[in-house]
């Protein structure tokens, strides 16, 4: 389910010329770029951030029924925590990019004065 955001991330990379490329002001004002960014933020937040507590709730519910050694359960928890931490870090980065885009689209000058 978390991969529902991947097409929007990929489209963003295609629009900007690559994951490490910074989009120019003209690209940031493109309606398709803005639409994709809005959908990306919404979908990423729902399927990768909001889903975290629900995922752990289900994992805890099945913990006792899971017939595996303790080390395997611990490894599962460790990998889950790492993945969820990365999703939270990525979401912060996405929001910083969205704020930068909003400043460029809605502000006239470099000081951030609203148009």
């Amino acid at each position: 389910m978390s991969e529902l955001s991947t097409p929007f991330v990929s489209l963003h990379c295609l629009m900007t010329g690559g994951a490490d490329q910074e989009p120019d002001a003209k690209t940031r004002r493109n309606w398709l770029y803005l639409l994709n960014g809005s959908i990306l933020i919404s979908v990423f937040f729902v399927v990768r951030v909001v889903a975290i507590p629900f995922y752990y709730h289900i994992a805890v519910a099945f913990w006792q029924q899971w017939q595996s050694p303790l080390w395997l359960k611990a490894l599962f928890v460790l990998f889950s925590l790492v993945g969820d931490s990365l999703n939270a870090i990525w979401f912060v980065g996405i929001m910083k990019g969205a704020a930068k885009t909003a400043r460029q689209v809605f502000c006239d000058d470099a000081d951030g004065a609203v148009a």
Side-chain angles (χ1 to χ4, degrees):
M1 185 165 126
S2 66
E3 295 305 318
L4 289 173
S5 62
T6 302
F8 305 106
V9 173
S10 298
L11 185 56
H12 173 79
C13 289
L14 288 172
M15 289 180 179
T16 59
D20 59 342
Q21 298 294 320
E22 189 71 23
D24 59 9
K26 183 179 178 184
T27 301
R28 287 184 190 267
R29 286 183 171 86
N30 183 304
W31 71 271
L32 187 58
Y33 180 85
L34 295 172
L35 178 64
N36 180 66
S38 300
I39 295 170
L40 169 61
I41 290 169
S42 302
V43 172
F44 194 97
F45 181 70
V46 170
V47 301
R48 294 194 184 221
V49 178
V50 172
I52 292 172
F54 297 108
Y55 171 75
Y56 284 105
H57 175 74
I58 292 169
V60 168
F62 289 105
W63 186 266
Q64 297 297 327
Q65 300 170 4
W66 194 14
Q67 302 297 321
S68 296
L70 184 59
W71 68 268
L72 189 58
K73 290 179 181 180
L75 196 61
F76 172 77
V77 170
L78 176 67
F79 286 152
S80 296
L81 289 172
V82 168
D84 293 337
S85 298
L86 288 173
N87 282 331
I89 291 167
W90 292 332
F91 187 70
V92 168
I94 290 170
M95 292 307 296
K96 285 181 180 179
K100 186 173 182 177
T101 297
R103 281 192 302 274
Q104 285 186 348
V105 170
F106 298 112
C107 297
D108 279 337
D109 58 12
D111 296 331
V114 178

